[in-house]
Amino acid sequence: MEKIGIIVDNDSPKNLAMAMNLGHTALASDTEVLVYFTFDGLTHLLEGENDLSEIEPLLEEGMPNPYDLLDALVADGGDLVTTVACTTTLDMLEWDQDAIDETVTTKFAGAATFLDEVENADQVFTF
C-alpha cells in the first residue's frame, strides 16, 4: 500500500482545501494519508466557527467547504487516515488540548512521531 504525508502549517482555508483535495484523491486510490497539523495549521482543528471570508468567492463558485472536506476525510478514511495535532505547537502556544476538535483529530503527537510515521511514505506535501 502507498502512503503520503501532508503537513498543514498555514491557517488559510484555501490551503486546507488543497490539502484535503489531495487527501481525498489519495484515499480514492487506497493510499494511506497522514495529515499533520502544526503551527498556524492547528487553527483548522479548533472547535467552533471557522472564518471562510478569505474564500467566500470560491465557495460561491462551487468550491466545497474545506472544513466539510476535513470532516469527510476523517469520517470516510477509517484506518487509512490519521490526522495529527502537533503537541509541541500546542505546548508552545499554551493552547489547551481540550480546544481541539476530536471529531477531526485522530491523534495528538509531536514532530518525532510524525517523522517516524512518514519514514516509509512515498511523498510528503506541505500546505
PDB file of all heavy atoms in Angstrom, residues 36-39 42 45 84-91 107-111:
ATOM      1  N   TYR A  36      -0.619  16.131   9.213  1.00  0.00           N
ATOM      2  CA  TYR A  36      -0.006  16.677  10.416  1.00  0.00           C
ATOM      3  C   TYR A  36      -0.285  18.174  10.483  1.00  0.00           C
ATOM      4  O   TYR A  36       0.161  18.930   9.625  1.00  0.00           O
ATOM      5  CB  TYR A  36       1.499  16.399  10.366  1.00  0.00           C
ATOM      6  CG  TYR A  36       2.281  16.796  11.582  1.00  0.00           C
ATOM      7  CD1 TYR A  36       2.074  16.161  12.805  1.00  0.00           C
ATOM      8  CD2 TYR A  36       3.257  17.772  11.511  1.00  0.00           C
ATOM      9  CE1 TYR A  36       2.814  16.502  13.920  1.00  0.00           C
ATOM     10  CE2 TYR A  36       4.010  18.127  12.619  1.00  0.00           C
ATOM     11  CZ  TYR A  36       3.780  17.490  13.819  1.00  0.00           C
ATOM     12  OH  TYR A  36       4.516  17.822  14.928  1.00  0.00           O
ATOM     13  N   PHE A  37      -1.049  18.589  11.479  1.00  0.00           N
ATOM     14  CA  PHE A  37      -1.407  19.992  11.669  1.00  0.00           C
ATOM     15  C   PHE A  37      -0.463  20.599  12.696  1.00  0.00           C
ATOM     16  O   PHE A  37      -0.434  20.155  13.851  1.00  0.00           O
ATOM     17  CB  PHE A  37      -2.846  20.121  12.145  1.00  0.00           C
ATOM     18  CG  PHE A  37      -3.867  19.725  11.114  1.00  0.00           C
ATOM     19  CD1 PHE A  37      -4.279  18.403  10.995  1.00  0.00           C
ATOM     20  CD2 PHE A  37      -4.412  20.671  10.254  1.00  0.00           C
ATOM     21  CE1 PHE A  37      -5.222  18.031  10.041  1.00  0.00           C
ATOM     22  CE2 PHE A  37      -5.353  20.312   9.297  1.00  0.00           C
ATOM     23  CZ  PHE A  37      -5.759  18.987   9.193  1.00  0.00           C
ATOM     24  N   THR A  38       0.287  21.613  12.271  1.00  0.00           N
ATOM     25  CA  THR A  38       1.253  22.239  13.158  1.00  0.00           C
ATOM     26  C   THR A  38       1.256  23.747  12.968  1.00  0.00           C
ATOM     27  O   THR A  38       0.731  24.252  11.967  1.00  0.00           O
ATOM     28  CB  THR A  38       2.665  21.651  12.941  1.00  0.00           C
ATOM     29  OG1 THR A  38       3.555  22.121  13.947  1.00  0.00           O
ATOM     30  CG2 THR A  38       3.200  21.952  11.560  1.00  0.00           C
ATOM     31  N   PHE A  39       1.820  24.467  13.905  1.00  0.00           N
ATOM     32  CA  PHE A  39       1.855  25.927  13.901  1.00  0.00           C
ATOM     33  C   PHE A  39       0.484  26.492  13.544  1.00  0.00           C
ATOM     34  O   PHE A  39      -0.503  26.061  14.104  1.00  0.00           O
ATOM     35  CB  PHE A  39       2.987  26.452  13.004  1.00  0.00           C
ATOM     36  CG  PHE A  39       4.346  26.152  13.591  1.00  0.00           C
ATOM     37  CD1 PHE A  39       5.126  25.114  13.103  1.00  0.00           C
ATOM     38  CD2 PHE A  39       4.820  26.893  14.657  1.00  0.00           C
ATOM     39  CE1 PHE A  39       6.359  24.818  13.672  1.00  0.00           C
ATOM     40  CE2 PHE A  39       6.062  26.614  15.232  1.00  0.00           C
ATOM     41  CZ  PHE A  39       6.821  25.567  14.726  1.00  0.00           C
ATOM     42  N   LEU A  42      -2.838  24.428  13.042  1.00  0.00           N
ATOM     43  CA  LEU A  42      -3.647  23.904  14.152  1.00  0.00           C
ATOM     44  C   LEU A  42      -4.984  24.623  14.282  1.00  0.00           C
ATOM     45  O   LEU A  42      -5.933  24.058  14.818  1.00  0.00           O
ATOM     46  CB  LEU A  42      -2.888  24.025  15.477  1.00  0.00           C
ATOM     47  CG  LEU A  42      -1.990  22.868  15.863  1.00  0.00           C
ATOM     48  CD1 LEU A  42      -1.248  23.196  17.150  1.00  0.00           C
ATOM     49  CD2 LEU A  42      -2.760  21.583  16.006  1.00  0.00           C
ATOM     50  N   LEU A  45      -8.141  22.838  13.402  1.00  0.00           N
ATOM     51  CA  LEU A  45      -8.656  21.789  14.285  1.00  0.00           C
ATOM     52  C   LEU A  45      -9.363  22.340  15.520  1.00  0.00           C
ATOM     53  O   LEU A  45      -9.879  21.568  16.323  1.00  0.00           O
ATOM     54  CB  LEU A  45      -7.517  20.863  14.721  1.00  0.00           C
ATOM     55  CG  LEU A  45      -6.764  20.132  13.618  1.00  0.00           C
ATOM     56  CD1 LEU A  45      -5.674  19.258  14.225  1.00  0.00           C
ATOM     57  CD2 LEU A  45      -7.700  19.300  12.759  1.00  0.00           C
ATOM     58  N   VAL A  84      -3.214  14.429  12.792  1.00  0.00           N
ATOM     59  CA  VAL A  84      -2.404  14.622  13.991  1.00  0.00           C
ATOM     60  C   VAL A  84      -2.343  16.096  14.364  1.00  0.00           C
ATOM     61  O   VAL A  84      -1.993  16.937  13.529  1.00  0.00           O
ATOM     62  CB  VAL A  84      -0.966  14.104  13.761  1.00  0.00           C
ATOM     63  CG1 VAL A  84      -0.128  14.272  15.024  1.00  0.00           C
ATOM     64  CG2 VAL A  84      -0.969  12.656  13.300  1.00  0.00           C
ATOM     65  N   ALA A  85      -2.663  16.405  15.607  1.00  0.00           N
ATOM     66  CA  ALA A  85      -2.459  17.737  16.165  1.00  0.00           C
ATOM     67  C   ALA A  85      -1.095  17.741  16.852  1.00  0.00           C
ATOM     68  O   ALA A  85      -0.816  16.887  17.699  1.00  0.00           O
ATOM     69  CB  ALA A  85      -3.556  18.079  17.172  1.00  0.00           C
ATOM     70  N   CYS A  86      -0.247  18.672  16.465  1.00  0.00           N
ATOM     71  CA  CYS A  86       1.116  18.739  16.995  1.00  0.00           C
ATOM     72  C   CYS A  86       1.113  19.191  18.457  1.00  0.00           C
ATOM     73  O   CYS A  86       0.752  20.329  18.770  1.00  0.00           O
ATOM     74  CB  CYS A  86       1.948  19.702  16.153  1.00  0.00           C
ATOM     75  SG  CYS A  86       3.629  19.922  16.776  1.00  0.00           S
ATOM     76  N   THR A  87       1.527  18.301  19.331  1.00  0.00           N
ATOM     77  CA  THR A  87       1.545  18.621  20.761  1.00  0.00           C
ATOM     78  C   THR A  87       2.630  19.631  21.104  1.00  0.00           C
ATOM     79  O   THR A  87       2.461  20.423  22.039  1.00  0.00           O
ATOM     80  CB  THR A  87       1.741  17.353  21.595  1.00  0.00           C
ATOM     81  OG1 THR A  87       2.904  16.651  21.131  1.00  0.00           O
ATOM     82  CG2 THR A  87       0.525  16.446  21.502  1.00  0.00           C
ATOM     83  N   THR A  88       3.728  19.627  20.368  1.00  0.00           N
ATOM     84  CA  THR A  88       4.790  20.602  20.612  1.00  0.00           C
ATOM     85  C   THR A  88       4.274  22.014  20.374  1.00  0.00           C
ATOM     86  O   THR A  88       4.522  22.925  21.169  1.00  0.00           O
ATOM     87  CB  THR A  88       6.004  20.319  19.709  1.00  0.00           C
ATOM     88  OG1 THR A  88       6.414  18.961  19.898  1.00  0.00           O
ATOM     89  CG2 THR A  88       7.155  21.256  20.014  1.00  0.00           C
ATOM     90  N   THR A  89       3.521  22.197  19.282  1.00  0.00           N
ATOM     91  CA  THR A  89       2.948  23.509  18.984  1.00  0.00           C
ATOM     92  C   THR A  89       1.886  23.881  20.023  1.00  0.00           C
ATOM     93  O   THR A  89       1.833  25.030  20.469  1.00  0.00           O
ATOM     94  CB  THR A  89       2.352  23.541  17.566  1.00  0.00           C
ATOM     95  OG1 THR A  89       3.375  23.221  16.630  1.00  0.00           O
ATOM     96  CG2 THR A  89       1.776  24.897  17.234  1.00  0.00           C
ATOM     97  N   LEU A  90       1.064  22.918  20.410  1.00  0.00           N
ATOM     98  CA  LEU A  90       0.061  23.193  21.451  1.00  0.00           C
ATOM     99  C   LEU A  90       0.739  23.705  22.720  1.00  0.00           C
ATOM    100  O   LEU A  90       0.289  24.691  23.315  1.00  0.00           O
ATOM    101  CB  LEU A  90      -0.752  21.932  21.764  1.00  0.00           C
ATOM    102  CG  LEU A  90      -1.797  21.512  20.756  1.00  0.00           C
ATOM    103  CD1 LEU A  90      -2.350  20.132  21.102  1.00  0.00           C
ATOM    104  CD2 LEU A  90      -2.923  22.526  20.688  1.00  0.00           C
ATOM    105  N   ASP A  91       1.814  23.046  23.112  1.00  0.00           N
ATOM    106  CA  ASP A  91       2.540  23.461  24.316  1.00  0.00           C
ATOM    107  C   ASP A  91       3.164  24.846  24.138  1.00  0.00           C
ATOM    108  O   ASP A  91       3.083  25.691  25.026  1.00  0.00           O
ATOM    109  CB  ASP A  91       3.626  22.451  24.665  1.00  0.00           C
ATOM    110  CG  ASP A  91       3.071  21.124  25.145  1.00  0.00           C
ATOM    111  OD1 ASP A  91       1.868  21.060  25.494  1.00  0.00           O
ATOM    112  OD2 ASP A  91       3.836  20.141  25.153  1.00  0.00           O
ATOM    113  N   LYS A 107      -5.235  11.862  16.452  1.00  0.00           N
ATOM    114  CA  LYS A 107      -4.038  11.622  17.251  1.00  0.00           C
ATOM    115  C   LYS A 107      -3.423  12.944  17.705  1.00  0.00           C
ATOM    116  O   LYS A 107      -3.507  13.944  17.000  1.00  0.00           O
ATOM    117  CB  LYS A 107      -3.033  10.849  16.398  1.00  0.00           C
ATOM    118  CG  LYS A 107      -1.814  10.349  17.089  1.00  0.00           C
ATOM    119  CD  LYS A 107      -0.977   9.539  16.095  1.00  0.00           C
ATOM    120  CE  LYS A 107      -0.240   8.459  16.824  1.00  0.00           C
ATOM    121  NZ  LYS A 107       0.435   7.566  15.911  1.00  0.00           N
ATOM    122  N   PHE A 108      -2.808  12.930  18.863  1.00  0.00           N
ATOM    123  CA  PHE A 108      -2.014  14.045  19.369  1.00  0.00           C
ATOM    124  C   PHE A 108      -0.583  13.539  19.482  1.00  0.00           C
ATOM    125  O   PHE A 108      -0.337  12.541  20.161  1.00  0.00           O
ATOM    126  CB  PHE A 108      -2.514  14.498  20.742  1.00  0.00           C
ATOM    127  CG  PHE A 108      -3.854  15.182  20.698  1.00  0.00           C
ATOM    128  CD1 PHE A 108      -5.028  14.439  20.778  1.00  0.00           C
ATOM    129  CD2 PHE A 108      -3.942  16.552  20.572  1.00  0.00           C
ATOM    130  CE1 PHE A 108      -6.260  15.065  20.734  1.00  0.00           C
ATOM    131  CE2 PHE A 108      -5.177  17.187  20.530  1.00  0.00           C
ATOM    132  CZ  PHE A 108      -6.328  16.446  20.611  1.00  0.00           C
ATOM    133  N   ALA A 109       0.354  14.216  18.800  1.00  0.00           N
ATOM    134  CA  ALA A 109       1.747  13.754  18.817  1.00  0.00           C
ATOM    135  C   ALA A 109       2.664  14.892  18.381  1.00  0.00           C
ATOM    136  O   ALA A 109       2.216  15.874  17.786  1.00  0.00           O
ATOM    137  CB  ALA A 109       1.918  12.560  17.890  1.00  0.00           C
ATOM    138  N   GLY A 110       3.944  14.706  18.635  1.00  0.00           N
ATOM    139  CA  GLY A 110       4.939  15.695  18.243  1.00  0.00           C
ATOM    140  C   GLY A 110       5.600  15.357  16.923  1.00  0.00           C
ATOM    141  O   GLY A 110       5.272  14.366  16.256  1.00  0.00           O
ATOM    142  N   ALA A 111       6.563  16.183  16.559  1.00  0.00           N
ATOM    143  CA  ALA A 111       7.250  16.049  15.270  1.00  0.00           C
ATOM    144  C   ALA A 111       7.991  14.718  15.148  1.00  0.00           C
ATOM    145  O   ALA A 111       8.031  14.134  14.061  1.00  0.00           O
ATOM    146  CB  ALA A 111       8.206  17.212  15.072  1.00  0.00           C
TER     147      ALA A 111
END
